[in-house]
Amino acid sequence: MAAIDLILFDVDGTLVDSQHTIVACMEAAFARHGLPVPDAAAVRHTVGLALAEGVARLLAQDPALAEVDPYAVAETYKEAYLARRTATPPPPTDPLYPGTQALLDRLLRQERLMGVATGKSNRGVSVFLDTHGFHKHFVTHQTVDTAPGKPDPTMIRQAAAEAGTVPARVLMIGDTVYDMQMARAAGAMALGVDWGYHAPEALTAEGARAILKSWDDLDPYLT
């Protein structure tokens, strides 16, 4: 196994449990367009994809919705997200998963290079960094505004270049098959987590070297 120069983290479902916000905004977007509200489990399964792609997959589950423009619904999702974030009083902050703050702080002290590769937009990543004080932790931010969405390998390739390394020396950590597929396509190593939105066995089937049951399991893979 090649030495790891850069640790890339997915955000939603890996570092932060944002499912309640995502489901609420998707439900609001579909409702505003007069569409049947999608099942929460189906919404969670699209987390990690670019927003319009996730909407398109939800629409594709009902042939009667074939003519609906996923980009229009995605724009309404963004409006619902902004309204939720600026509401008074504000909704509860999406929580970090247990041990995440301590892990990222420790890796920062150890001067490990870290980045995020996410289906969020640049604005969404900025909110995440502001909320949790992570601006100093990540040397690269790969979003759907800077690269094609997962599972396209461009995010990992760009992140590796920004960190001065190559994909074979990148470790991608995520909770969805899209993260695993992206890593495999880029030639990077991938680890799954068992607390996210896709089943661990699905992650293993798509190339995860191992499934972390807590952040305490990570260190052996950082050499």
Side-chain angles (χ1 to χ4, degrees), residues 8 18 25 39 87 90 115-116 135-136 160 180 200 221:
L8 272 182
S18 47
C25 291
D39 179 74
V116 294
H135 284 279
K136 294 181 180 180
M180 306 303 108
Y221 301 97

Side-chain angles (χ1 to χ4, degrees), residues 18 62 119 152 166 207 210:
S18 47
D62 185 345
D152 185 282
V166 294

Side-chain angles (χ1 to χ4, degrees), residues 23-210:
V23 170
C25 291
M26 194 67 78
E27 289 176 346
F30 271 65
R32 290 183 194 177
H33 284 267
L35 304 172
V37 172
D39 179 74
V43 174
R44 286 193 294 269
H45 203 266
T46 67
V47 173
L49 295 171
L51 179 56
E53 172 64 16
V55 171
R57 293 198 182 194
L58 293 171
L59 293 170
Q61 295 179 359
D62 185 345
L65 305 181
E67 301 303 317
V68 177
D69 181 3
Y71 291 93
V73 179
E75 287 302 314
T76 306
Y77 176 103
K78 294 176 185 178
E79 294 169 4
Y81 177 84
L82 180 60
R84 182 179 175 88
R85 187 165 66 85
T86 58
T88 303
T93 299
D94 292 329
L96 297 172
Y97 286 102
T100 296
Q101 183 78 56
L103 171 76
L104 297 181
D105 288 347
R106 176 170 65 83
L107 294 176
L108 180 64
R109 291 193 301 271
Q110 294 172 348
E111 299 184 342
R112 300 299 304 244
L113 295 183
M114 296 180 284
V116 294
T118 173
K120 287 183 177 294
S121 64
N122 285 342
R123 182 172 65 181
V125 167
S126 293
V127 171
F128 166 71
L129 298 176
D130 289 343
T131 299
H132 299 288
F134 285 153
H135 284 279
K136 294 181 180 180
H137 292 68
F138 302 114
V139 299
T140 180
H141 307 151
Q142 299 298 320
T143 76
V144 292
D145 292 330
T146 64
K150 302 172 185 178
D152 185 282
T154 302
M155 286 189 188
I156 290 179
R157 292 171 179 166
Q158 290 182 168
E162 289 181 15
T165 188
V166 294
R169 297 172 71 95
V170 173
L171 170 61
M172 179 69 210
I173 304 175
D175 72 300
T176 73
V177 296
Y178 317 123
D179 299 306
M180 306 303 108
Q181 292 164 350
M182 177 175 66
R184 188 176 67 230
M189 187 171 84
L191 294 175
V193 301
D194 77 348
W195 53 81
Y197 305 148
H198 286 191
E201 55 269 25
L203 307 184
T204 300
E206 291 295 341
R209 182 180 292 268

